[in-house]
Amino acid sequence: MSELKKVLYIEDEPDIRAVAEIALQQIGGLVLKCCASGPEGLESISDFDPQLILLDVMMPGMDGPTVLAHIRENTDYQHIPVVFITAKVQAAEVEDLMKLGAFAVISKPFSPMEIAGQLRDIWKDFCRA
Amino acid sequence: MTKPSAVSDLLNRTRAIVETIVDGVITIDQHGLIDTVNPATEKIFGYSSEEMIGQNVSMLMPNPYRREHDGYINNYLSTGNKKIIGIGREVRGQRKDGTLFPLELAISEMFINGQRMFTGIVRDISERKETEEKLREAEHRVHEQRVKDEFIATVSHELRTPLTSIKASLEILKSNACDGVEGQADALIEIAHKNSERLLLLINDILDISKIESEKMGYRMTSIPLQEFLESAIRDNKSYGEKYQVEFTLGEVPDGIEIYADPDRMMQVMSNLMSNAAKFSPPKSKVEIYALRDGNRTRICIKDYGYGIPQEFHARIFDKFTQADSSDRRQMSGTGLGLNISKGIVEQHNGKLSFTSHQDKGSEFFIDLFDHSQGENYE
């Protein structure tokens, strides 16, 4: 089983990107690339070659579900697990996101001390599945 | 030739049908007097046949139909203009006990021994109407609940977003994870501070919406000289304009005008409209404030020369949590609730908030208030 190292995070909120960088990279020891929008994130996939994509749901222009649909349409990216990270945390909302094809959903607010561990656990589950 | 026994048989059959049918069957002559009624008519209206026969059929109708019924018949007889004959329609009936009920009425015309007669078939549709009404009420309740659920879900999302930055910043600071990284602690403190301000704005706006919707805003209405009020609005919002390099200017204000309003709440509306105008205007542009007088209406105008509001967004501009581009909410530090609140406040002053906008030319918002001296418009 490979170890999770590279994560692409697509998030439009600059402050959340800033704290996530510290949480995932500095504290969590992951190699992280942050993108501020869906199109920017999609463009980064081929160059950055992430193992896992962490994806915000509500973004202007192209929202998270649309980004996920683009990822799933592309045969080169289909294998990458997508984890939604969202402040939409009601059970029905989480269920809807899972139905769209997300591998997992992490709720906001997240714990900066734990989020890297959460992603590693999700990665392990993905590798086992 | 039909045999007498066959005629008698046909009459018996017809009578049986009319007497057992669930719909009321009423015949009237050309003067509107009731000639025959069937048992269902007695049941529907509560009168016995003896009480109805020979009386004007208008006795079964409430006003204004009762008053005008003879006119309908006379109009038909003189002009041939059929308003209801041959057409079924829903009308109101009146029972003997005075209660009103909805009924379906179909009228046909016939001639018996050269006499013009009319037959009315009446069907009591109270139960159907009641069921329809209950269905409508249930649908309305479901809709209301859905709107409420969506609002709560959106509020939850909007509160959690700044909270995510605050909580994460504080946890990182507490863990000392940023020790040794120059400037990182300050940056995290700034993030936490900025987002707590955003959270506070959001909570205040949500409270305002709640108060407006439950009509608990509690306005302290008073007469306010408009010139002074607008000068004060420009003074109060000057620094906000400077932040976006936008100058607020005061144009023409008709002499001696007073508005009747809660000064704090109306200033809140002005600040919202002026800050929006500044936010969505290019640097070094102007936002003009002026007023007009038309009859008993005073119109306050806030005109910018900014980017304008996209046409497709016009219908939703006063909705909650909407901005033309949701990224603006963050970049422009708004909550997406300001215009909804402003509209609520103006309407609770019995006024109107409206706008015109052209992309890349600018927008103009109008607050219309009506003189309290004219009565009616104010509490």
Side-chain angles (χ1 to χ4, degrees):
Chain A
M1 186 191 295
S2 64
E3 192 189 336
L4 178 67
K5 285 178 190 159
K6 289 172 84 175
V7 173
L8 176 69
Y9 183 22
I10 306 172
E11 165 71 62
D12 68 309
E13 279 278 343
D15 290 343
I16 296 182
R17 283 201 305 275
V19 291
E21 267 181 16
I22 300 171
L24 292 169
Q25 210 157 255
Q26 198 170 312
I27 299 170
L30 294 167
V31 178
L32 183 76
K33 180 168 177 63
C34 283
C35 294
S37 70
E40 192 189 324
L42 288 170
E43 260 190 45
S44 302
I45 299 177
S46 59
D47 281 350
F48 183 63
D49 191 22
Q51 291 164 286
L52 182 147
I53 296 170
L54 192 56
L55 181 58
D56 184 26
V57 174
M58 282 179 72
M59 291 186 287
M62 189 186 286
D63 65 5
T66 312
V67 176
L68 174 59
H70 282 290
I71 293 169
R72 291 289 168 257
E73 276 167 16
N74 190 319
T75 47
D76 293 338
Y77 308 150
Q78 276 171 352
H79 63 284
I80 306 171
V82 171
V83 176
F84 275 125
I85 180 160
T86 178
K88 284 177 160 282
V89 291
Q90 300 198 26
E93 293 170 330
V94 171
E95 203 179 308
D96 287 346
L97 293 173
M98 293 300 287
K99 277 186 199 157
L100 292 174
F103 190 75
V105 177
I106 292 177
S107 61
K108 288 177 183 173
F110 56 82
S111 164
M113 313 312 290
E114 291 167 14
I115 188 167
Q118 267 177 286
L119 289 182
R120 286 193 172 96
D121 289 344
I122 290 169
W123 176 249
K124 278 179 202 161
D125 289 344
F126 173 75
C127 293
R128 270 191 226 112
Chain B
M1 194 175 170
T2 314
K3 290 179 182 175
S5 62
V7 171
S8 162
D9 187 45
L10 186 62
L11 275 174
N12 285 339
R13 281 167 184 269
T14 309
R15 185 175 297 126
I17 291 168
V18 172
E19 289 191 353
T20 55
I21 195 169
V22 291
D23 292 338
V25 180
I26 307 167
T27 57
I28 62 169
D29 65 16
Q30 60 182 351
H31 305 294
L33 302 179
I34 297 172
D35 188 48
T36 63
V37 294
N38 70 340
T41 308
E42 295 177 305
K43 198 174 160 197
I44 291 170
F45 289 95
Y47 290 104
S48 67
S49 58
E50 292 78 16
E51 287 174 305
M52 288 185 274
I53 290 169
Q55 300 298 314
N56 194 301
V57 72
S58 62
M59 72 185 288
L60 306 177
M61 306 163 189
N63 275 323
Y65 312 110
R66 175 177 291 191
R67 228 176 12 239
E68 293 166 7
H69 182 261
D70 290 348
Y72 297 150
I73 294 185
N74 291 335
N75 180 52
Y76 169 61
L77 294 176
S78 59
T79 65
N81 182 16
K82 296 178 180 178
K83 278 196 171 172
I84 189 166
I85 295 163
I87 311 157
R89 64 163 60 175
E90 265 183 45
V91 294
R92 305 279 284 170
Q94 187 165 23
R95 298 188 187 94
K96 186 181 178 182
D97 63 9
T99 53
L100 304 181
F101 66 103
L103 58 86
E104 255 173 16
L105 173 65
I107 295 177
S108 54
E109 187 182 18
M110 59 183 175
F111 288 88
I112 299 173
N113 299 328
Q115 289 282 313
R116 192 194 298 267
M117 304 287 286
F118 299 97
T119 304
I121 312 281
V122 295
R123 175 173 292 177
D124 185 344
I125 54 170
S126 305
E127 273 185 33
R128 195 176 84 197
K129 285 279 160 192
E130 203 176 312
T131 308
E132 283 172 4
E133 183 58 28
K134 277 183 186 162
L135 192 65
R136 259 197 304 276
E137 278 172 16
E139 282 170 353
H140 180 69
R141 274 198 301 275
V142 168
H143 174 73
E144 292 272 287
Q145 190 57 45
R146 197 172 56 232
V147 169
K148 211 166 157 184
D149 289 348
E150 278 170 11
F151 179 68
I152 289 169
T154 312
V155 166
S156 159
H157 176 270
E158 292 298 310
L159 291 174
R160 279 170 180 272
T161 300
L163 201 57
T164 300
S165 302
I166 297 168
K167 185 171 178 285
S169 299
L170 296 177
E171 275 188 42
I172 294 167
L173 286 166
K174 193 178 164 200
S175 73
N176 301 323
C178 57
D179 284 2
V181 183
E182 200 186 334
Q184 200 169 61
D186 287 343
L188 287 170
I189 290 167
E190 177 55 26
I191 286 174
H193 180 255
K194 192 169 67 183
N195 281 277
S196 51
E197 293 282 343
R198 180 173 153 188
L199 203 54
L200 185 64
L201 282 176
L202 197 56
I203 290 166
N204 286 339
D205 278 359
I206 290 165
L207 284 175
D208 277 354
I209 282 182
S210 165
K211 279 190 266 183
I212 288 168
E213 289 185 352
S214 59
E215 298 187 355
K216 287 180 182 161
M217 195 60 131
Y219 297 101
R220 292 177 297 107
M221 304 295 282
T222 184
S223 289
I224 312 164
L226 186 57
Q227 176 83 28
E228 284 174 34
F229 175 74
L230 295 180
E231 282 169 2
S232 170
I234 286 179
R235 246 190 338 268
D236 290 0
N237 290 284
K238 190 168 182 256
S239 61
Y240 198 90
E242 284 168 354
K243 188 173 156 190
Y244 291 92
Q245 297 179 56
V246 168
E247 187 190 355
F248 295 119
T249 63
L250 184 58
E252 199 172 328
V253 179
D255 285 341
I257 299 288
E258 292 194 340
I259 55 168
Y260 189 62
D262 180 313
D264 294 338
R265 290 303 178 184
M266 202 46 70
M267 192 58 82
Q268 182 180 348
V269 174
M270 285 301 296
S271 296
N272 173 247
L273 298 177
M274 289 168 73
S275 61
N276 282 346
K279 278 189 280 192
F280 298 103
S281 286
K284 296 180 180 162
S285 64
K286 283 185 177 178
V287 171
E288 294 166 5
I289 320 291
Y290 63 100
L292 301 167
R293 183 81 181 144
D294 174 20
N296 72 336
R297 182 186 71 176
T298 299
R299 168 167 277 196
I300 301 170
C301 311
I302 298 101
K303 183 177 174 64
D304 70 57
Y305 297 90
Y307 314 115
I309 301 157
Q311 183 67 35
E312 63 273 16
F313 186 63
H314 285 196
R316 292 184 293 125
I317 192 157
F318 294 113
D319 289 356
K320 290 170 211 152
F321 291 118
T322 47
Q323 288 188 336
D325 179 342
S326 63
S327 64
D328 292 339
R329 197 146 77 219
R330 285 119 196 202
Q331 287 161 10
M332 300 300 190
S333 68
T335 60
L337 295 170
L339 279 176
N340 181 274
I341 293 170
S342 293
K343 185 168 185 278
I345 292 173
V346 172
E347 285 178 356
Q348 290 188 348
H349 281 70
N350 287 320
K352 195 179 162 204
L353 181 60
S354 57
F355 71 98
T356 59
S357 183
H358 301 283
Q359 203 136 16
D360 297 324
K361 287 186 178 168
S363 305
E364 186 164 19
F365 278 78
F366 309 108
I367 305 168
D368 289 333
L369 296 169
F370 299 87
D371 291 352
H372 67 289
S373 56
Q374 303 293 320
E376 293 176 7
N377 289 314
Y378 286 94
E379 293 172 289

